[in-house]
Amino acid sequence: MTAGPASAGPVAADRAPGPVLAIDVGGTKLAAAVVEPDGTIAVQGAVPTPAGGDTATVTAALHRVVRQVVGDRDPATLTALGVGSAGPLDPAAGTVSPINIHAWRDFGILDSLRPLLPGRPAVLAGDGHCMALGEHWLGGYPGRALLGMVVSTGVGGGLVIDGRVHPGGSGNAGHIGHIVVDMTGPPCPCGGRGCVEAIASGPAMVRWAVDQGWTPGDRPGDARTLAEDARAGVPLAVAAFRRGATALAAAVVSATALIDLDDVVIGGGVAAAGDLLFAPLRAAVAELAGLDFVRRVRIHTSSLGNDAGLLGAAALALEAAARQ
């Protein structure tokens, strides 16, 4: 099993020899699915990403969800493997070092999966790339230049340009969560300061709100509870979402000025807050964008939801299977 090129795109169903195994690795959950060549998800499953677990614990959880979705199926009927993972990563080496999975540093994710799908081609790409590719393929966003963003435990991103993933030289292009939007801003888990992720991720918004005096009471102190309070009009919760949305808007405007984006599609757990995030985000983009070609960018909620990353990973696997 070797890493295929992350620049592959979806293929016509009649070119793919059979279903593929798709995996989506994030700081919140580890998901897997068996996907047919037309994009139909035959079976899928997910487990929480073990918080604070060591390498063996996190790897065991990944293997468990893969075995769950493969079930009694003969692995030989699966024609390829596609993995989308939080980064940074090295697609050529098949290794990942997700910022929000501390146990995995230069972890050989493709090598770890070899015994579960022996002798099949595999491809590794960033989770943001896979999310963007899934939306481009099946989500109804076929524009020339698309940025996919995953706003959750972290903030990931990926680019699809002219119908193909644009991975960059290292495989990490589109990592919009680590664009600096506040030079004196808070430290980021990546080691930098003032990154989008340090302001707009779910945990970052919660930390800021707590620092300002927000308390969840006897409820979980997480982004979902923060969203509940924002919907109820609690001022600090509303302010936390507006602050995060403004950071996202600054990144979107910068990326659009650089790449001439047509569409930005945003998914992930924080994006599930809907207009709590998207209304101030669109307002901030309108305020920050000056040039006409930047102002024309369209911002969408993910139409595929949690399936977008899996379907993008499947698209890459289908291309690898067709090339075999």
Side-chain angles (χ1 to χ4, degrees), residues 6 22-27 29-31 49 58 62 82-91 94-101 104-110 113 123-131 150 155-158 171-173 175 309-310 312-313 316:
I23 293 173
D24 186 17
V25 173
K29 72 178 187 313
L30 307 172
T49 303
V58 179
L62 175 65
V83 179
S85 175
L89 47 79
D90 184 338
T95 61
V96 298
S97 302
I99 291 172
N100 292 304
I101 305 179
W104 282 355
R105 289 297 173 265
D106 296 320
F107 173 66
I109 190 167
L110 296 186
L113 294 166
V123 62
L124 170 66
D127 60 345
H129 287 124
C130 289
M131 180 266 193
V150 181
V155 178
N172 293 284
H175 219 325
L310 286 169
L316 295 173

Side-chain angles (χ1 to χ4, degrees), residues 1-6 21 79-83 91-92 94 109-111 113-114 117 119-125 313 316-317 320-321 323-324:
M1 183 178 291
T2 58
L21 177 63
T79 58
L81 168 68
V83 179
I109 190 167
L110 296 186
D111 284 346
L113 294 166
R114 180 180 290 118
L117 204 67
R120 295 303 188 188
V123 62
L124 170 66
L316 295 173
R323 290 196 309 265
Q324 191 180 36

Side-chain angles (χ1 to χ4, degrees), residues 289-302:
L291 298 169
D292 287 344
F293 82 92
V294 177
R295 295 178 67 85
R296 74 179 184 85
V297 68
R298 298 178 293 261
I299 299 171
H300 315 276
T301 306
S302 167

Side-chain angles (χ1 to χ4, degrees), residues 30 33 52 59 69 71 75 83 89 95 104 118 161 163 209 217 238 242 246 252 273 293 311:
L30 307 172
T59 306
V69 301
V83 179
L89 47 79
T95 61
W104 282 355
I161 298 175
V238 173
R242 286 179 177 166
T246 300
V252 166
F293 82 92
L311 290 168

Side-chain angles (χ1 to χ4, degrees), residues 214-222 225 228-229:
W214 175 75
T215 57
D218 58 0
R219 299 165 298 166
D222 57 20
T225 301
E228 290 174 358
D229 278 5

Side-chain angles (χ1 to χ4, degrees), residues 29-282:
K29 72 178 187 313
L30 307 172
V34 173
V35 182
E36 301 292 342
D38 64 356
T40 300
I41 296 177
V43 60
Q44 67 186 113
V47 298
T49 303
D54 59 14
T55 301
T57 300
V58 179
T59 306
L62 175 65
H63 288 189
R64 184 165 66 253
V65 71
V66 170
R67 292 191 180 99
Q68 174 186 332
V69 301
V70 172
D72 296 331
R73 180 189 296 265
D74 181 356
T77 64
L78 300 174
T79 58
L81 168 68
V83 179
S85 175
L89 47 79
D90 184 338
T95 61
V96 298
S97 302
I99 291 172
N100 292 304
I101 305 179
H102 302 291
W104 282 355
R105 289 297 173 265
D106 296 320
F107 173 66
I109 190 167
L110 296 186
D111 284 346
S112 80
L113 294 166
R114 180 180 290 118
L116 305 180
L117 204 67
R120 295 303 188 188
V123 62
L124 170 66
D127 60 345
H129 287 124
C130 289
M131 180 266 193
L133 184 59
E135 294 288 351
H136 178 81
W137 179 27
L138 295 171
Y141 304 116
R144 188 199 64 80
L146 179 146
L147 170 67
M149 297 180 68
V150 181
V151 185
S152 184
T153 307
V155 178
L159 295 164
V160 174
I161 298 175
D162 293 329
R164 314 227 8 128
V165 168
H166 178 72
S170 70
N172 293 284
H175 219 325
I176 196 166
H178 300 285
I179 287 180
V180 175
V181 292
D182 183 351
M183 291 184 291
T184 61
C188 182
C190 75
R193 177 175 290 276
C195 298
V196 176
E197 183 169 306
I199 299 171
S201 71
M205 290 197 298
V206 170
R207 279 194 300 271
W208 182 86
V210 169
D211 287 347
Q212 304 305 307
W214 175 75
T215 57
D218 58 0
R219 299 165 298 166
D222 57 20
R224 183 173 297 178
T225 301
L226 188 69
E228 290 174 358
D229 278 5
R231 287 192 188 92
V234 176
L236 280 175
V238 173
F241 271 90
R242 286 179 177 166
R243 180 173 179 267
T246 300
L248 292 171
V252 166
V253 168
S254 297
T256 303
L258 184 66
I259 302 167
D260 194 9
L261 295 170
D262 297 310
D263 298 285
V264 176
V265 182
I266 303 176
V270 175
D275 278 348
L276 288 177
L277 181 72
F278 283 90
L281 170 59
R282 292 188 175 104

